Amino acid sequence: MDIIERRESAVRSYVRAFPATFAKAQGALLYDTSGKRYIDFFSGAGGLNYGHNNPQIKAAIMEYLAADGVTHSLDMATAAKVRFLERFEQVILQPRQLDYKVQFTGPTGTNAVEAALKIARKVKQRANVVAFTNGYHGLTGSALALTGNAHYRNPFYTSRANVTMMPFDGYFGSEVNTIDYFRKFLTDSGSGLDRPAAVILETIQAEGGINVARPAWLQALAALCQEFDMLLIVDDIQVGNGRTGRFFSFEGLGFTPDIVTVSKSISGYGLPMALVLLKPELDQWLPGEHTGTFRGNNLAFVGATEALRYWETDELTHAIQRRSRLLDQRLHTMQTSYPQLEAQVRGKGLIYGLAVGDPELAGAIGRESFTQGLILERCGAEDNVLKFLPPLVIEDELLAEGLSILNRSIATIVG
Ligand code: PLP
């Protein structure tokens, strides 16, 4: 740790919450250099949905490396990319009757968001975009301008010109319908809202505190987008790739986004990769208009292709539903057992939050959990929401063990 503290920039973050040097990882387990074992309820912020060193995905990548497969290819065609596109079409797009063009962007979520905004603004020939309170879309220029949390914002970093924030579902409590509020801004010529090219949102705000939008709200938003000719961009970077139980978070909710951003777990192995999915008529890019040196990460394509096997059957979806029930039940039990927490439970699939009344208390529980061998992140603008994001493939026993560690940690802290 000495070199980290002495040499690594002050911008470092997770190493402060999880002060160990990790050396080995398998599935939902991490081990530090002393051999201490940790259960991972964080999954690389959603980058490791299929677990650490998933054996099948690892085997495919090792085989590809051993055969001297191309690793870096910009956006030239490679056998690995062709295979990924074919399988993505067969396993994900066609069965869901989705027709999207696939854009490979620079391999971070935030770059996919930048690209999605650029193409939406270009197609609609309008600059303004609507984003939502407590949303998080990454920290580069235009993506940062959409991000709610004041911690990340500094007016000198980026301009909020051409971004209008609207209240997310439930922002004012259950009394106010925030779609009506948005509609009023669209219809009132005195509202000051420039006609938006697009609306961007997470169906479940992850960094923002695990705020789950209701299906009816999402459907009303999709209808509003149609009515006012605004593109609907779903940022599925954190809650896609099966996190909610289906491959895309919007599946079965009764609407189809115009643009979808995908990253994090798409490679299956924690390797950098990002996509923008576009309705074909929106694919109005000029060749090379949005480029990036690392758009051709072929090891990621091989991992991604192998990970798609999980979506050939419903087995993973059923396992996620089973684990989700366990998580939901145990969190509700803790909510009732420890009224001092003034806790709220929210989530879906394998993304859950335990919102604790006092952020200090949430911090203390997180730190105690880490000491007892559980990696648990916090989220929300006040950092008061304990966030549960275990690998989708976590064994039920490990999930239960992690929750027992949490229960013990809460008991230790609140007495
Ligand atoms: N969008 C969402 C919903 C995210 O959760 C994140 C990262 O947490 C991003 C975008 C940015 O992705 P990246 O950190 O890879 O730039």
Side-chain angles (χ1 to χ4, degrees), residues 14 45 107-111 113 136-140 143 202 204 206-207 235-239 261 263-264 387:
Y14 296 122
T108 56
T110 197
N111 195 255
V113 170
Y136 181 92
H137 300 284
L139 297 182
T140 53
E202 304 154 85
I204 299 176
E207 297 304 309
D235 180 347
D236 240 9
I237 287 168
Q238 189 153 165
V239 295
T261 53
S263 184
K264 293 203 189 260
K387 182 181 183 191

Side-chain angles (χ1 to χ4, degrees), residues 366-408:
R367 285 188 292 278
E368 180 61 25
S369 299
F370 180 71
T371 307
Q372 298 204 26
L374 178 68
I375 297 185
L376 191 61
E377 166 63 342
R378 279 178 295 143
C379 61
E382 307 302 326
D383 248 3
N384 66 318
V385 184
L386 296 164
K387 182 181 183 191
F388 302 87
L389 212 70
L392 307 179
V393 297
I394 189 170
E395 296 81 353
D396 295 7
E397 298 70 30
L398 272 184
L399 181 61
E401 187 186 334
L403 289 164
S404 298
I405 295 178
L406 173 69
N407 192 43
R408 274 206 311 275

Side-chain angles (χ1 to χ4, degrees), residues 25-45:
Q26 220 311 298
L29 292 173
L30 273 163
Y31 300 87
D32 70 15
T33 43
S34 75
K36 181 172 171 186
R37 166 186 181 269
Y38 299 83
I39 298 177
D40 189 357
F41 273 12
F42 184 33
S43 304

